[in-house]
């Protein structure tokens, strides 16, 4: 044995035959494949390389002097000799490995497999380099000629391992994959396993996949067939059993945590020791078993989580169900109903607590109740549902519903915009506590939250305009900045046209101040000293929602000269304009001279006209006062009632009014100018009347605009187009649109197309 070993360790000559050459090479190859840890000297390695090279480059046919006709060249034949001997070596080597593995199971089998795989692939790498020449020339030419079953030596080693060792072990009841799957199951059950070992074996499955058309490409065929498919099946089975058992004994809230945890673990598992390609299918399988199959149960328990504000559970449920198609849709529908119900309940509670009539409803309480429902549920959308667009849409839809239709509004669509406009009015007034605090801007932003949901934005606009006109006339705005801020918010929400009138009102106020100053200057220049203090507001009829008084009014002689002078002055400046005096909005201050204590009485024009009569009389009857002022009996009675209540006048006999000589007040400035009921009631109905009138014109103008662009149009599409264009401002009713079409037919803006019933044409 020793002498043979020595002989074989000597380098065969370059002319050596196959048997001699292979005997030398086989000993070296076997040493590398089985005893590499003991080392290989550089000399030995170079010797092996040289012998393989010499044999491949030798052109002499060993044993034959002349090549047979049609046979391949000598170099070719020698390449195939070496190649076939290598195959025989690998087959024999792997047979011994296989026999040792037969008795092993589970972890012991995996450890043996991983150890031998390491040794085998490391050795095969070195052997591959020994046969570099064979690879570059003979193997390359064979493959170029279409022989796909010929491989470079390292690849050949892998092919042999797959055929003679891997498939042998694996085909015995999936022994290898089974061992891996049992380890993974133990890990799922909470045990610690050797993840490095699993990774090594799994990586070998990947390395054994070969693409015959391009050997440099990795193919996952072996990995998928032998490991991924059974792994996914085992996963499905495992989680089906676990989730059923878990839900039988635990709450849905606990299950959400469990499912979240399991999904995280599986993602982690792929990163730790499986091929990345498996992740998509594995997660999809887990989502199906852990989420899809139990989705109905989650949907069912969603309401309970909402009712008890279970934030973390809601976040988990959202995160899980968002992973499956259509998983969130039932939640969105449920959430919409939940918000709508919460809004309705909040208003019903408010109406129940307040007066029987919704007329007495406090605008602030109403707005606060609606905002609280929106705030709470908006927070839920942001926090629990990550601001997802579908939930935002559900929130908006529900809010639009309960803001416009609730216990306070009944069937009316104008109640909400009216109350919101009144609330905005209170915020923007001087005496409002919030105006003194920092948060007026915040309060206005909150008004805009509800404004977004109001369907009849034109009703809000008209009420807002009316209220703004009162604030400006009576000088009770909290600040110009706050007014400007609110107008810019409305402009941003609805466009320039919506706020055009509001901005013109401010322009009129500023022009009026200049006009008053110019008038006073002119009076001084003319030495017409006015013994009364006077300021005027000249307001454009088209922009201010103010109506002239229905009744006559006799201007008291005390103020007539001023009235007359200003009228003439204005005519010289603007000859074509007509002034209409709005006595019902004017304010006056009177000084008392008949009492020991001097008071200043702040009055309306009608109160002033009544009180000035007492400069000449101590007592007057109702009829005498009507004759002196020309104010209607109905309004004058209310004016007198206020003066009697304030104890400025005494009414001891029916319809007889005396000046009270003993009038006393804690305040020097006494405000008598309280609104009279008839005016307050009339305001709402006036506003709604205005809205109805405006709507008729808006619908007509919209139809004309559409017809001008389209020239001809059928009835139904025309109605739909009108609704779509106007619904930003209000929800038009179909009968109103039909009425507008009839009006325009009469006015000949449009006409029916001959021979058709329902097609209209624009008349240019």
């Amino acid at each position: 044995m020793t002498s043979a070993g020595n002989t074989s360790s000597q380098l065969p000559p370059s002319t050596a035959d196959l048997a001699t050459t292979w005997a030398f090479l086989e000993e070296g190859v076997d040493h590398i494949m089985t005893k590499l840890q003991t080392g290989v000297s550089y000399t030995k390695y170079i010797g092996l390389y040289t012998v393989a090279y010499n044999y491949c480059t030798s052109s002499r046919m060993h044993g034959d002097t002349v090549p047979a006709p049609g046979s391949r060249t000598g170099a070719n034949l020698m390449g195939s000799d070496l190649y076939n001997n290598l195959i025989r070596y690998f087959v024999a080597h792997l047979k011994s490995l296989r026999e040792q593995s037969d008795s092993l199971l589970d972890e012991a089998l995996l450890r043996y497999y991983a150890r031998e795989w390491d040794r085998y692939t490391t050795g095969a790498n070195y052997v591959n380099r020994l046969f570099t020449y064979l690879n570059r020339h003979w193997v390359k030419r064979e493959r170029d000629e279409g022989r796909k079953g010929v491989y470079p030596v390292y690849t050949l080693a892998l092919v042999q391992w797959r055929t003679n060792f891997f498939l042998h072990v694996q085909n015995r009841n999936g022994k290898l994959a089974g061992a891996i799957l049992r380890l993974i199951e133990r890990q799922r059950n909470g045990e610690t396993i050797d993840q490095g070992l699993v990774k090594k074996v799994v990586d070998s499955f990947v390395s054994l996949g070969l693409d015959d058309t391009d050997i440099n490409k990795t193919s996952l065929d072996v990995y998928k067939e032998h490991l991924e498919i059974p792994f996914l099946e085992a996963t499905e089975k495992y989680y089906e059993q676990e989730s059923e058992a878990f839900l039988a004994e635990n709450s849905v809230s606990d299950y959400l945590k469990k499912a979240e945890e399991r999904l995280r673990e599986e993602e982690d598992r792929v990163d730790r020791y499986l091929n990345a390609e498996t992740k998509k299918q594995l997660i999809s399988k887990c989502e199906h078993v852990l989420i899809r199959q139990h989705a109905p149960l989650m949907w069912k328990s969603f309401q309970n989580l909402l009712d008890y504000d279970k934030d973390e559970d809601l976040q988990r449920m959202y995160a899980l169900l968002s992973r499956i198609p259509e998983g969130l849709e039932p939640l969105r529908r449920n959430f919409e109903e939940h918000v709508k119900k919460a809004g309705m309940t909040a208003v019903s509670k408010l109406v129940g607590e307040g007066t029987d009539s919704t007329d007495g409803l406090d605008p602030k309480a109403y707005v606060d109740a609606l905002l609280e429902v929106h705030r709470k549920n908006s927070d839920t959308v942001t926090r629990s549902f990550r601001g997802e667009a579908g939930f935002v849409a559900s929130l908006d839809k529900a809010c639009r519903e309960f803001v416009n239709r609730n216990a306070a509004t009944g069937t009316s669509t104008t109640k909400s915009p009216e109350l919101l406009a009144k609330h905005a009015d209170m915020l923007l007034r001087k005496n409002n506590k919030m105006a003194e605090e920092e948060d007026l801007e915040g309060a206005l932003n909150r008004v805009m939250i509800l404004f977004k949901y109001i369907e009849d934005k034109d009703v809000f606009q008209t009420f807002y305009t009316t209220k703004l006109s009162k604030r400006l006339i009576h000088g009770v705005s909290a600040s110009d900045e706050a007014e400007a801020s609110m107008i810019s918010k409305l402009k941003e929400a609805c466009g320039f046209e919506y706020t055009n009138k509001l901005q013109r009102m401010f322009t009129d106020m500023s022009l009026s101040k200049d006009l008053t100053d110019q008038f006073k200057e002119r009076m001084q220049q003319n030495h017409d000293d006015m013994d009364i203090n006077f300021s005027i507001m000249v307001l454009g009829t088209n922009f201010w929602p103010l109506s002239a008084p229905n009744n006559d009014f006799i201007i008291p002689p005390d103020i007539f000269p001023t009235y007359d002078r200003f009228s003439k002055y204005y005519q010289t400046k603007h000859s074509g304009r007509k002034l209409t005096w709005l006595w019902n909005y004017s304010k006056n201050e009177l000084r008392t001279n008949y009492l020991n204590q001097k008071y200043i009485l702040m009055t309306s024009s009608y109160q002033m006209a009544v009180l000035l009569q007492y400069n000449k009389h101590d007592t007057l009857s109702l009829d005498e006062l009507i004759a002196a002022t020309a104010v209607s009996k109905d309004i004058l009675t209310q004016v007198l009632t206020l003066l009697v209540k304030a104890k400025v006048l005494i009414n001891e006999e029916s319809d007889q009014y005396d000046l009270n000589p003993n009038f006393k007040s804690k305040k020097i400035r006494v405000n008598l100018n309280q609104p009279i009921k008839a005016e307050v009631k009339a305001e709402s109905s006036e506003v709604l009347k205005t809205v109805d009138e405006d709507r008729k014109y808006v619908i007509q103008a919209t139809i004309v605009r559409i017809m001008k662009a389209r020239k001809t149009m059928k009835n139904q599409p025309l109605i739909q187009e009108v609704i779509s264009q106007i619904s930003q401002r209000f929800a038009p009713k179909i009968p109103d649109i039909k009425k507008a079409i009839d009006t325009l037919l009469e006015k000949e803006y449009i006409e029916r197309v001959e021979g058709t019933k329902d097609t209209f044409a624009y008349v240019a």
Side-chain angles (χ1 to χ4, degrees), residues 70-92:
S71 75
R72 295 152 78 195
T73 66
N76 260 348
L77 202 56
M78 287 160 192
S80 77
D81 288 342
L82 285 185
Y83 189 80
N84 290 329
N85 273 318
L86 275 170
I87 292 176
R88 280 193 284 278
Y89 170 77
F90 284 135
V91 170

Side-chain angles (χ1 to χ4, degrees), residues 54 78 168 251 257 281 314 661 701:
N54 286 344
M78 287 160 192
H168 170 82
S251 68
K257 280 183 207 154
Q281 284 189 71
L314 286 170

Side-chain angles (χ1 to χ4, degrees), residues 510-522 530 534-538 566 569:
S510 144
L511 291 173
S512 295
K513 190 176 176 303
D514 295 345
L515 189 63
T516 302
D517 294 344
Q518 289 161 11
F519 173 61
K520 284 181 181 169
E521 212 175 287
R522 170 65 65 87
M530 297 188 292
F534 168 79
S535 70
I536 186 87
M537 291 180 203
V538 178
F566 182 78
Y569 170 74

Side-chain angles (χ1 to χ4, degrees), residues 177-226:
I180 295 173
L181 296 182
R182 281 187 289 280
L183 264 190
I184 292 175
E185 183 167 340
R186 278 169 54 193
Q187 189 180 35
R188 282 176 177 153
N189 291 337
E191 291 181 40
T192 305
I193 64 163
D194 182 347
Q195 296 184 129
L197 172 64
V198 177
K199 179 163 175 54
K200 204 168 269 181
V201 178
V202 168
D203 285 349
S204 83
F205 280 57
V206 176
S207 301
L208 293 175
L210 296 172
D211 185 334
D212 281 339
T213 55
D214 180 357
I215 47 175
N216 295 318
K217 256 196 197 160
T218 312
S219 158
L220 292 175
D221 291 356
V222 172
Y223 170 78
K224 282 184 181 301
E225 181 190 341
H226 293 282

Side-chain angles (χ1 to χ4, degrees), residues 1-11 20 23-24 27 44:
M1 284 300 286
T2 316
S3 62
N6 286 342
T7 315
S8 64
S9 63
Q10 287 168 1
L11 227 61
T20 314
F24 178 81
E27 188 264 341
K44 170 88 178 200

Side-chain angles (χ1 to χ4, degrees), residues 253 256 298 301-321 328 331 335 338 380-381 383-386 391:
S253 290
L256 296 172
M298 295 189 204
S301 64
F302 177 64
Q303 187 60 51
N304 192 40
L305 301 183
L306 278 178
D307 290 341
Y308 292 100
D309 298 325
K310 295 283 185 65
D311 250 354
E312 283 184 18
D313 291 339
L314 286 170
Q315 285 172 30
R316 276 195 195 96
M317 188 178 282
Y318 168 81
L320 291 173
L321 288 169
L328 294 175
L331 299 194
F335 180 65
H338 172 78
T380 303
V381 169
R383 220 174 27 237
S384 303
F385 310 137
R386 297 179 195 166
F391 281 97

Side-chain angles (χ1 to χ4, degrees), residues 618-630:
D618 290 335
T619 179
L620 287 157
S621 69
L622 179 60
D623 290 341
E624 286 169 333
L625 285 167
I626 291 171
T629 61

Side-chain angles (χ1 to χ4, degrees), residues 335-348:
F335 180 65
E336 186 185 323
E337 277 307 309
H338 172 78
V339 176
K340 199 191 299 180
K341 195 171 154 198
M344 299 294 195
T345 308
V347 178
S348 299

